[in-house]
C-alpha cells in the first residue's frame, strides 16, 4: 500500500514547524565542512586495471 499522500502532509507539517530564525543562525554559525580524508596509495588505485581499459 502506498503512503504518498501522507508524505506530502508530513513535509507540510515539518515546513510549518521549522524555526526560520534558528535555521538562519545555524547557517551563519555553521561549522566548516571537514576536509576529505587522505587516501592511501592502495585506496587511490583505480578499480579497473589500466592495462585492460579500452576507452583510450
Amino acid at each position: 500500500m502506498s503512503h504518498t499522500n501522507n508524505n506530502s502532509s508530513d513535509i507540510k507539517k515539518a515546513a510549518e514547524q521549522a524555526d526560520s530564525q534558528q535555521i538562519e543562525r545555524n547557517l551563519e554559525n555553521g561549522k566548516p565542512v571537514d576536509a576529505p580524508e587522505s587516501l592511501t596509495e592502495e585506496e587511490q588505485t583505480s578499480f579497473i586495471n589500466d592495462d585492460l581499459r579500452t576507452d583510450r
Side-chain angles (χ1 to χ4, degrees), residues 23-39:
I23 293 170
E24 189 173 340
R25 285 192 299 268
N26 291 347
L27 291 172
E28 288 174 358
N29 300 325
K31 291 187 275 183
V33 177
D34 293 335
E37 287 182 29
S38 296
L39 299 176

Side-chain angles (χ1 to χ4, degrees), residues 1-29:
M1 179 176 216
S2 178
H3 297 288
T4 55
N5 293 340
N6 293 340
N7 289 346
S8 61
S9 64
D10 290 346
I11 293 169
K12 188 174 183 178
K13 286 178 192 175
E16 290 169 353
Q17 294 173 358
D19 181 357
S20 60
Q21 291 177 341
Q22 182 63 45
I23 293 170
E24 189 173 340
R25 285 192 299 268
N26 291 347
L27 291 172
E28 288 174 358
N29 300 325

